[in-house]
Amino acid sequence: MEFTRQLSDKLSVEQVKIELLNTAYGNNSTYLAKLDPRTLFIWYLFFGIFPWFIHNQAILIGMFVFMIVTTFMAKVSPLIVFILVLGLLGQGGYLLIASWFFGGDLSVILPLMILTLKLSIISLASITVFCSMDPEKLSNGLLRIGVPGQVSFCIAYGYRMLPSLLEEYHHIFLSFRLRGKAPDKKGILYWRSIIYFSKIAVLSFYPLLLSTSKRARTTVEALETRGSFYAFNHSEVKRIKLAHLSFRTQDYLFLLFSTLYIIGLFMLGSYY
């Protein structure tokens, strides 16, 4: 019972909201968070794309180890890592069952493991990069590389609003439970309760979408009143806003180390 209570506390909506806030705003003191966002974009451009074109197992394992180290350096929330592992296991298990159902055998395990390894590298790289940038830094980095101001703002705005949307969804869900009536009999393996909560979970999305659209409209009107859309497309305003972004020694060292590490992996992979 004690373990169940502790697990329930860890998976509560309030705890999930705290973890999301820490992910978005609580990693500013890490080494990766002090890098220029363009450095992280360049680094992610390689580790988010090139693993698809690499088939050498030794190289992939080396990249996976490197991703584990960078994820640890970024101080990623254990909840985020747990969700990632759960998704990878579910994806790999689904493909394994589907392959066996259509006549596959044990020979499909190795290709699925390689696919899961590639997905793990790309997913960990994504988590490392985006957990190392708060919404404002992400928005500034996107503006600096030429992304339109409206697009960069929308990404940063969605990033900021995620914890609030999660909390609002929880309140709507609880209001449905308060006004509804749970099944008197849970059924075998709680199937009636599962159907009841699944129905509430779906119905809770409709008021959330309405509330989100109203909030987005209010935000857009406030931005238009303050002249933000003029600032998005004015080069002088962009120059002043992004003047603090610059490549420093630590950016070059990080990219140099990553490059040398990858070169070493390819040299090692040529022997295996």
Side-chain angles (χ1 to χ4, degrees):
M1 289 294 293
E2 182 66 21
F3 174 77
T4 303
R5 185 181 63 82
Q6 293 178 358
L7 182 62
S8 177
D9 293 340
K10 290 290 184 181
L11 297 179
S12 64
V13 174
E14 187 66 26
Q15 186 63 32
V16 171
K17 187 182 72 173
I18 292 173
E19 293 291 343
L20 289 175
L21 288 172
N22 287 334
T23 299
Y25 300 100
N27 295 331
N28 293 329
S29 61
T30 63
Y31 174 79
L32 296 177
K34 297 177 182 178
L35 298 176
D36 189 274
R38 290 170 294 176
T39 302
L40 296 175
F41 291 154
I42 294 172
W43 184 83
Y44 178 67
L45 188 64
F46 178 84
F47 289 99
I49 296 177
F50 275 83
W52 290 117
F53 305 102
I54 299 174
H55 305 286
N56 189 293
Q57 300 173 24
I59 297 176
L60 290 174
I61 292 174
M63 294 176 69
F64 178 70
V65 172
F66 187 40
M67 291 303 100
I68 292 177
V69 174
T70 56
T71 303
F72 179 78
M73 292 173 58
K75 296 182 179 179
V76 177
S77 167
L79 178 63
I80 303 297
V81 177
F82 173 75
I83 294 174
L84 169 64
V85 172
L86 206 62
L88 290 173
L89 291 177
Q91 180 73 15
Y94 159 74
L95 292 175
L96 182 62
I97 293 173
S99 62
W100 281 352
F101 181 78
F102 288 102
D105 52 22
L106 294 178
S107 62
V108 303
I109 294 180
L110 182 59
L112 286 177
M113 290 181 62
I114 295 176
L115 175 62
T116 303
L117 187 59
K118 292 181 179 182
L119 290 174
S120 301
I121 294 170
I122 296 170
S123 300
L124 288 176
S126 303
I127 291 175
T128 298
V129 168
F130 292 104
C131 286
S132 300
M133 293 187 288
D134 57 32
E136 183 177 357
K137 185 176 182 179
L138 175 61
S139 177
N140 291 338
L142 293 173
L143 276 176
R144 192 67 179 83
I145 64 176
V147 176
Q150 290 88 341
V151 177
S152 62
F153 169 78
C154 290
I155 295 175
Y157 179 74
Y159 201 179
R160 291 176 186 272
M161 291 301 298
L162 187 59
S164 300
L165 291 177
L166 181 64
E167 183 177 10
E168 186 172 354
Y169 177 79
H170 185 221
H171 291 163
I172 296 172
F173 185 85
L174 292 179
S175 68
F176 270 104
R177 289 191 62 188
L178 183 64
R179 291 177 295 175
K181 183 178 184 301
D184 296 328
K185 297 181 179 180
K186 301 183 183 300
I188 301 175
L189 297 178
Y190 296 90
W191 71 271
R192 286 193 176 91
S193 297
I194 292 174
I195 293 177
Y196 171 71
F197 284 112
S198 299
K199 182 180 179 181
I200 292 179
V202 174
L203 292 176
S204 300
F205 274 104
Y206 296 101
L208 180 65
L209 292 174
L210 179 60
S211 174
T212 303
S213 62
K214 290 182 178 179
R215 186 178 301 177
R217 179 179 178 179
T218 304
T219 303
V220 170
E221 291 175 350
L223 288 171
E224 289 178 343
T225 303
R226 298 180 181 183
S228 295
F229 289 99
Y230 170 79
F232 286 152
N233 301 292
H234 197 276
S235 58
E236 185 64 20
V237 176
K238 284 185 179 181
R239 187 187 65 80
I240 296 174
K241 177 179 176 63
L242 306 176
H244 66 284
L245 296 180
S246 62
F247 287 106
R248 292 173 290 179
T249 304
Q250 57 187 3
D251 296 284
Y252 294 113
L253 290 176
F254 179 71
L255 291 177
L256 178 62
F257 175 79
S258 300
T259 303
L260 293 176
Y261 183 82
I262 292 300
I263 292 174
L265 278 181
F266 276 92
M267 293 176 62
L268 180 64
S270 63
Y271 293 101
Y272 297 96

